[in-house]
Amino acid sequence: MSNAGATQSPEAQMRKRCGGYLPIENYGLIGNMRTCALVGMDGSVDFMCWPEFDSPSVFCRLLDKDKGGYFSIHPAAHIECTTKQQYLPSSNILQTRYIHEDGVVDLVDFFPRPRTTKTLFKGLKTSAYREMTSVQEELKKWLVRRVECIRGKFSLEVEIFPAFEYATAPHTTTILQEENVSFATESKTVTFHSEAVKLQLDVSIDRGEEEDENHSSYPTVRFKKVKKPGMLGEGVVARIELLEGQAVSFVLRNDLPNHVTEQITNAVLDTQQHDTQTFWYNWISKCKYKGRWREVVQRSFMILKLMTYEPTGAIIAAPTFSIPEDIGGVRNWDYRFSWVRDASFTIYILLRLGFTEEADAYMEFISDRFCTTRIADGGLPIMFTIRGETDIPERELTHLDGYRGSKPVRVGNGAAFHQQFDIYGELMDAIYLYNKYGKPIHWDLWCSIREMLDYVLTILNDPDMSIWEVRNNKQHFTYSKIMLWVAFDRGLRLSEKRNFPCPNRAKWLAARDSLYEAVMEKSYNKEMKCFVQSYENKTILDSSILIAPLVFFIAPNDPRFVNTMDRIMLPPEKGGLTSTGLVYRYDTEQAEDGKSSILGVGGREGAFSMCTFWLVEAMTRASVYEPKYLVRAINLFENMLSFSNHLMMFSEEISRSGEQLGNTPQAFSHLALISAAFNLDRVSEFKR
């Protein structure tokens, strides 16, 4: 190729500027509803847990550039090219394109999804009628990476350096074929074996349309083993030369003695990709949202689907762990679990926009946990594993350096048994919404609801750690009190709507009323003319109050709420929480959250994506009565969309410099985005 000695690609330069790391927003997500992977714009898989979301990582360069491990397919070092990354239409198949004067190459990454077939129902036959039922074919648990030259010629380098068990377990690398060619009889080429996980790499070569009897122009793959400092096992590297029409595919899967598909050929991969494309197209076609932000809303749904653990229906908060909320800081948490808090938002969005099967599966997961997994005192854990377990011990991986030096790297979550009383309101709201828009709830669930609300009667006057999971002295947080009000309100409504017996109706009603009075009296600062964070912190503004009209605690045009909303929209230097159209949770310099003094967890944080979308929705609801807020809401929403990455993906936070921060993608961010877009469209239609 020409341009020998050319400068590095923009992505390589970006890694160099960021100390060997890509910016958090420079990744795309692929997955199969069992696990997922983050693929950088430079063609590197820098994060993948195997075989499930909460399994130890195999690739984790995102959290340690030297020890973490990666699987990279990128242009040869002497090639300077332009890189583009996008999803194939209506799918979660990721395409990274390398463009150069001499050639263009497409790198396609995906986890296969099986097609659905019909089979005869095997139940008792009572008539001549024959019933068919839909079943999925085998799910191929493969990571597929296909690289194809679509113009000219191109040189690519392949590097595979796994790091098992969070880079703590050594492994043995074995090259089974020194040279893999298009006419090879076996696709299995390399194996990587640790004590717990055994992987194999299959290679399939497509020589294109040109015939060459001497095989001189056929692409070949020659791997050699390389040991890198700090890594506990060898990796493999190869250089491949592709001409137009030629392609090479790499498949990483478990090394099993008897595969259903022993030999991976191009025909097999073509079928798998076609079935995967069809699966995603058919799935997103169920979406009822037809509004002006259709593209971004549909992408949010596709991301949420990737974060669903199909065997149980659980939806994880994020597929990653320990990506920092502040670069170089220590606010680094593991989000690969399912929070009760997400329930009401998830159920509402899935049901209103056509995804009833997902809502049913998620509701079954939540209700099963609710009925069977209770703490000894009658309370409910705030989170579960993807399989519904509650044992989630938190530990630090001290050997990993963290993203750009952001230590410590944590797995597990010490907040699992925090007292966060808001979850009872969110859970009851989810059940109420499911009963309203989905299916009627059953008697056993109602009995569990009664037991839970009777327990909640005993904690009404207790402080907690609330939505932000503070780790110091508990407080009487306004958000928690509002959600406790929601718990009793939805319980009372549900009993009336379904005519369920309610022995403690009078106590529930009294609790609901007393909570409302207390919030209005103790959580409202008359001098500041706004609601505050807690009964104790009477001068601290907190954006979680934006939830109040969304759960019908207060009218969106109530002067107390409007004043609070207007104050939140002010910049921090003027006493507000909004900067550059981005909303912060609270002022961490004024509000002691215990993440400094007790656990040594200090540092600044970015604006919360979820809170910004909450502000959009709150203004949208207020605009029904005050039209000026509609234009502001639309502008704020559009501004927030500009902070997404190139694939319309949002992490947890946005830094002061505009970069994405925190675990990515964040389910709550995308749920709040969809809800804001949905309600903006409804109000805009009403105004017209």
Side-chain angles (χ1 to χ4, degrees):
M1 281 202 179
S2 61
N3 278 34
T7 59
Q8 292 178 311
S9 69
E11 286 70 32
Q13 296 175 36
M14 196 168 292
R15 274 195 190 271
K16 190 173 182 180
R17 286 198 305 272
C18 294
Y21 296 89
L22 276 184
I24 294 166
E25 64 263 29
N26 277 28
Y27 288 94
L29 182 73
I30 57 173
N32 62 353
M33 280 97 84
R34 299 296 192 283
T35 189
C36 65
L38 290 179
V39 184
M41 286 192 70
D42 61 353
S44 181
V45 175
D46 285 350
F47 184 91
M48 184 180 77
C49 295
W50 189 271
E52 297 181 323
F53 290 116
D54 57 356
S55 301
S57 62
V58 171
F59 301 126
C60 199
R61 179 156 68 162
L62 186 63
L63 296 176
D64 193 307
K65 62 182 175 60
D66 298 316
K67 304 186 193 79
Y70 63 95
F71 181 172
S72 179
I73 301 176
H74 58 87
H78 66 276
I79 301 174
E80 181 183 11
C81 63
T82 300
T83 305
K84 302 291 183 182
Q85 194 176 63
Q86 65 180 6
Y87 286 106
L88 297 185
S90 300
S91 81
N92 276 320
I93 298 175
L94 189 64
Q95 176 193 49
T96 306
R97 174 167 287 182
Y98 302 125
I99 306 170
H100 181 260
E101 289 180 356
D102 294 342
V104 177
V105 157
D106 280 347
L107 170 61
V108 174
D109 290 304
F110 67 97
F111 286 89
R113 285 295 307 174
R115 62 183 172 185
T116 300
T117 58
K118 297 285 187 180
T119 187
L120 185 66
F121 180 66
K122 299 296 184 180
L124 181 65
K125 298 181 177 68
T126 59
S127 70
Y129 179 76
R130 293 295 178 263
E131 183 179 348
M132 302 294 287
T133 184
S134 295
V135 295
Q136 283 187 352
E137 294 187 353
E138 182 205 11
L139 173 67
K140 303 292 188 184
K141 297 180 181 179
W142 302 349
L143 168 64
V144 180
R145 313 202 71 193
R146 309 187 76 180
V147 60
E148 180 179 10
C149 184
I150 59 174
R151 174 173 66 78
K153 58 183 179 178
F154 219 99
S155 295
L156 293 158
E157 293 178 356
V158 182
E159 302 178 32
I160 309 173
F161 287 87
F164 295 93
E165 297 288 325
Y166 302 117
T168 63
H171 69 270
T172 301
T173 300
T174 305
I175 298 178
L176 303 177
Q177 297 186 59
E178 293 293 336
E179 181 175 279
N180 198 301
V181 295
S182 59
F183 45 86
T185 57
E186 297 287 337
S187 62
K188 185 176 180 179
T189 304
V190 183
T191 62
F192 306 96
H193 287 188
S194 71
E195 184 177 352
V197 179
K198 294 176 171 53
L199 297 178
Q200 72 178 59
L201 179 74
D202 291 81
V203 178
S204 178
I205 296 175
D206 186 348
R207 61 193 182 192
E209 299 297 325
E210 297 295 327
E211 291 293 333
D212 184 348
E213 294 181 358
N214 298 319
H215 310 306
S216 59
S217 66
Y218 290 2
T220 59
V221 179
R222 297 182 182 91
F223 280 115
K224 66 177 180 178
K225 291 195 282 188
V226 174
K227 180 68 183 295
K228 287 199 169 187
M231 301 200 74
L232 302 180
E234 294 174 313
V236 295
V237 300
R239 181 160 178 166
I240 54 177
E241 307 284 342
L242 294 179
L243 300 176
E244 184 174 326
Q246 295 178 346
V248 179
S249 300
F250 303 91
V251 178
L252 198 62
R253 57 177 174 164
N254 286 323
D255 187 5
L256 303 175
N258 295 299
H259 286 288
V260 174
T261 306
E262 191 69 34
Q263 177 77 353
I264 296 181
T265 63
N266 290 305
V268 168
L269 291 174
D270 286 340
T271 300
Q272 289 295 322
Q273 183 172 338
H274 175 268
D275 291 347
T276 303
Q277 290 169 183
T278 302
F279 170 85
W280 288 116
Y281 176 82
N282 290 340
W283 184 81
I284 198 61
S285 296
K286 296 188 297 183
C287 183
K288 292 181 180 179
Y289 180 84
K290 308 298 180 187
R292 70 176 81 177
W293 296 285
R294 182 177 179 180
E295 185 178 2
V296 69
V297 165
Q298 288 193 349
R299 178 49 54 191
S300 290
F301 271 120
M302 299 280 269
I303 290 169
L304 288 170
K305 183 66 170 175
L306 283 179
M307 294 163 64
T308 302
Y309 183 63
E310 190 173 42
T312 64
I315 298 176
I316 55 176
T320 55
F321 61 90
S322 275
I323 302 180
E325 298 175 16
D326 176 44
I327 302 299
V330 290
R331 293 173 180 260
N332 317 318
W333 316 106
D334 190 347
Y335 281 4
R336 297 172 297 164
F337 310 107
S338 186
W339 265 254
V340 174
R341 180 173 295 117
D342 298 8
S344 63
F345 305 96
T346 306
I347 291 293
Y348 174 73
I349 291 302
L350 291 175
L351 287 175
R352 294 308 303 272
L353 294 177
F355 297 99
T356 54
E357 290 181 15
E358 287 71 22
D360 289 346
Y362 184 61
M363 190 64 203
E364 183 176 353
F365 172 78
I366 290 293
S367 59
D368 283 351
R369 306 287 76 73
F370 179 46
C371 293
T372 61
T373 311
R374 304 283 286 278
I375 303 173
D377 64 0
L380 192 69
I382 68 168
M383 71 178 80
F384 303 94
T385 69
I386 54 177
R387 290 163 292 278
E389 303 148 345
T390 56
D391 185 19
I392 313 176
E394 182 176 292
R395 60 190 176 99
E396 295 181 2
L397 303 179
T398 55
H399 64 287
L400 295 179
D401 195 46
Y403 178 79
R404 293 171 63 181
S406 304
K407 294 181 179 179
V409 174
R410 295 184 179 91
V411 292
N413 201 302
F417 283 98
H418 276 189
Q419 286 188 306
Q420 298 175 19
F421 296 156
D422 61 286
I423 65 170
Y424 299 105
E426 287 134 355
L427 178 61
M428 280 306 306
D429 197 35
I431 294 170
Y432 177 80
L433 289 168
Y434 186 75
N435 185 82
K436 181 177 181 179
Y437 296 112
K439 298 176 181 177
I441 67 166
H442 53 79
W443 169 250
D444 289 332
L445 181 56
W446 172 247
C447 291
S448 295
I449 289 170
R450 292 194 313 195
E451 292 175 8
M452 183 193 75
L453 289 180
D454 288 343
Y455 162 76
V456 175
L457 287 171
T458 68
I459 61 172
L460 289 182
N461 299 316
D462 294 345
D464 76 325
M465 300 172 178
S466 196
I467 184 174
W468 305 136
E469 298 182 350
V470 300
R471 298 197 173 196
N472 65 343
N473 295 328
K474 300 173 184 176
Q475 300 174 47
H476 292 86
F477 285 96
T478 302
Y479 181 87
S480 291
K481 300 303 181 183
I482 289 174
M483 297 313 294
L484 286 174
W485 176 92
V486 170
F488 288 111
D489 178 73
R490 300 310 191 262
L492 289 164
R493 291 189 190 206
L494 194 55
S495 69
E496 293 171 1
K497 190 176 186 67
R498 293 289 306 281
N499 295 316
F500 280 136
C502 188
N504 282 333
R505 184 188 307 274
K507 291 182 179 179
W508 293 4
L509 185 58
R512 185 184 70 172
D513 291 348
S514 66
L515 283 163
Y516 203 101
E517 295 269 6
V519 169
M520 289 302 182
E521 179 184 346
K522 299 178 181 179
S523 290
Y524 187 77
N525 186 317
K526 293 182 180 179
E527 286 73 31
M528 295 174 63
K529 293 185 177 180
C530 68
F531 288 101
V532 292
Q533 185 179 65
S534 68
Y535 295 174
E536 294 83 0
N537 282 336
K538 290 187 175 293
T539 59
I540 303 298
L541 194 62
D542 192 313
S543 61
S544 63
I545 194 65
L546 292 167
I547 200 69
L550 279 58
V551 295
F552 305 106
F553 175 82
I554 194 171
N557 65 323
D558 188 297
R560 287 191 171 203
F561 179 76
V562 172
N563 290 339
T564 303
M565 185 172 66
D566 287 342
R567 190 177 184 92
I568 288 173
M569 285 191 284
L570 293 174
E573 57 270 19
K574 293 184 179 180
L577 294 173
T578 304
S579 177
T580 324
L582 305 173
V583 180
Y584 292 83
R585 298 189 301 173
Y586 51 84
D587 189 333
T588 55
E589 295 180 4
Q590 293 185 35
E592 172 54 49
D593 59 12
K595 295 179 180 178
S596 300
S597 59
I598 292 182
L599 293 182
V601 183
R604 298 187 306 174
E605 62 181 20
F608 256 58
S609 303
M610 172 187 70
C611 295
T612 305
F613 290 123
W614 278 1
L615 177 57
V616 170
E617 187 164 349
M619 285 197 293
T620 301
R621 292 173 186 262
S623 72
V624 174
Y625 311 99
E626 295 290 343
K628 65 181 181 181
Y629 286 113
L630 182 58
V631 174
R632 297 179 187 179
I634 292 173
N635 285 330
L636 189 70
F637 186 69
E638 292 282 2
N639 176 73
M640 184 58 186
L641 294 184
S642 72
F643 285 93
S644 72
N645 78 346
H646 58 293
L647 299 170
M648 294 178 284
M649 201 163 82
F650 281 96
S651 66
E652 185 177 23
E653 302 179 24
I654 308 294
S655 73
R656 296 173 187 270
S657 59
E659 294 178 324
Q660 293 196 8
L661 289 174
N663 288 302
T664 189
Q666 180 82 356
F668 229 145
S669 299
H670 287 278
L671 288 166
L673 182 160
I674 296 168
S675 184
F678 175 68
N679 284 286
L680 264 176
D681 272 308
R682 286 204 305 177
V683 172
S684 299
E685 185 69 27
F686 172 76
K687 290 293 183 182
R688 288 199 292 270

